[in-house]
């Protein structure tokens, strides 16, 4: 049976939107598994537009839906129109868009809130027993909305390979169980049907990020 999967984007580019390689990896692995994909993103302005050469915000304004359309090759729908009953699973790639517009994690850390449409969507998928796949920084959304869930953002000890390991500690403080995993692995929280992998939280070669996302996608589809 064909699985219908909603992929939720937050712009186009690691520092102000969806991380492009992660989105692409999700789409390749879903395609290979024969899933039917529809992409969604909020229709509104980005918090920041970042010049990715300099890593600094610029003055220009960009619309999250229009930026996401670059990744979706034009075929992306307003997140407000996502009908949970039409899908078997949802997957949210990482990138700072998750921390700047799908939530305000980048500003508020542990006391963040989640974008209202997305909050309802995540809770509705969870209530319906439909799996959620997340990678990189997007597990913060689960930490916020599914209290006590198990997840991974990689490792909890900072080193050259794991420069953002303090995130694991912040997620533990939010009441979830952080499970240490390598970049080419995913953690499955069977009870909450939540599948997570570290992706670019790890300073790893892109093919390892791609492989970890492959495990995340396959485990998500198994639960659907
Ligand atoms: C993105 O974040 C900015 C800053 O918080 C906010 O002004 C804007 O409305 C947000 N856009 C969406 C679509 O949530
Ligand atoms: C979030 O808060 C934790 C303390 O709980 C801290 O260790 C971490 O550095 C903070 N993260 C960011 C990105 O500010």
């Amino acid at each position: 049976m064909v699985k219908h999967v909603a992929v939720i984007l937050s712009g186009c580019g690691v520092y102000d939107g969806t991380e492009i390689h992660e989105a692409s990896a999700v789409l390749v692995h879903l395609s290979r598994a024969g899933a039917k994909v529809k992409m969604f993103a909020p229709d509104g302005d980005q918090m920041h537009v970042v010049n990715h050469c300099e890593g600094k915000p610029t003055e220009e304004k960009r619309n999250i839906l229009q930026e996401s359309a670059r990744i979706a090759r034009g075929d992306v729908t307003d997140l407000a129109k996502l009908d949970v009953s039409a899908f078997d699973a949802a997957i949210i790639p990482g990138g700072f868009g998750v921390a700047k517009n799908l939530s305000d994690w980048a500003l508020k850390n542990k006391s963040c809130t989640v974008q209202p449409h997305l909050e309802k969507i995540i809770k509705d998928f969870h209530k319906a027993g439909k799996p959620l796949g997340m990678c990189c920084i997007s597990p913060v959304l689960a930490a916020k909305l599914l209290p006590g869930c198990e997840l991974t953002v990689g490792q909890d000890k900072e080193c050259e390979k794991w420069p953002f390991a303090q995130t694991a500690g912040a997620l533990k403080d939010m009441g979830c169980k952080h499970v240490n995993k390598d970049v080419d692995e995913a953690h499955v929280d069977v009870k909450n049907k939540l599948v997570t992998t570290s992706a670019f939280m790890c300073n790893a070669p892109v093919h390892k990020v791609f492989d970890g996302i492959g495990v995340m996608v396959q485990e998500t589809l198994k639960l659907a």
Side-chain angles (χ1 to χ4, degrees):
M1 221 179 60
V2 175
K3 307 272 167 74
H4 293 260
V5 180
V7 174
I8 298 170
L9 303 176
S10 57
C12 180
V14 55
Y15 296 122
D16 56 14
T18 289
E19 210 296 322
I20 295 165
H21 304 281
E22 291 180 17
S24 174
V26 165
L27 296 173
V28 170
H29 289 292
L30 284 171
S31 167
R32 184 169 286 151
K36 224 166 151 33
V37 173
K38 215 167 150 47
M39 284 175 258
F40 296 88
D43 185 5
D45 282 342
Q46 295 184 177
M47 177 182 153
H48 278 147
V49 176
V50 171
N51 174 334
H52 280 62
C53 290
E54 294 173 354
K56 286 191 196 128
T58 67
E59 288 305 310
E60 70 188 285
K61 290 229 174 296
R62 293 196 193 186
N63 174 287
I64 302 167
L65 186 63
Q66 288 174 25
E67 288 300 299
S68 300
R70 293 169 180 269
I71 293 177
R73 301 169 59 84
D75 191 5
V76 60
T77 303
D78 182 356
L79 184 65
K81 296 190 181 138
L82 195 161
D83 171 12
V84 172
S85 70
F87 294 95
D88 302 302
I91 295 186
I92 309 178
F96 271 90
V98 174
K100 290 180 172 177
N101 270 117
L102 297 187
S103 73
D104 55 7
W105 172 267
L107 300 173
K108 306 261 184 71
N109 202 339
K110 288 178 295 192
S111 47
C112 70
T113 54
V114 176
Q115 200 263 10
H117 289 131
L118 184 60
E119 174 168 352
K120 182 164 187 329
I121 287 162
I122 289 176
K123 286 181 172 167
D124 286 350
F125 268 96
H126 186 247
K127 232 182 288 167
K130 295 177 179 184
L132 294 157
M134 300 182 186
C135 64
C136 197
I137 194 63
S138 35
V140 303
L141 303 168
K144 179 70 194 180
L145 299 177
L146 312 177
C149 67
E150 291 177 12
L151 47 72
T152 190
V153 286
Q155 301 284 315
D156 58 6
K157 296 265 182 312
E158 197 168 320
C159 60
E160 200 189 331
K161 185 176 170 189
W162 297 99
F164 312 109
Q166 14 79 331
T167 305
L171 298 186
K172 283 184 211 168
D173 290 346
M174 287 166 80
C176 54
K177 182 174 174 222
H178 182 267
V179 182
N180 283 333
K181 290 277 172 182
D182 208 344
V183 63
D184 52 3
E185 300 175 314
H187 182 70
V188 183
D189 176 345
V190 176
K191 186 167 148 259
N192 287 299
K193 293 203 176 182
L194 172 67
V195 187
T196 49
T197 186
S198 60
F200 281 108
M201 297 297 274
C202 185
N203 190 6
V206 65
H207 71 278
K208 292 209 171 172
V209 170
F210 183 88
D211 290 350
I213 288 174
V215 178
M216 183 268 280
V217 166
Q218 284 143 25
E219 294 297 330
T220 303
L221 290 175
K222 269 191 218 163
L223 293 170

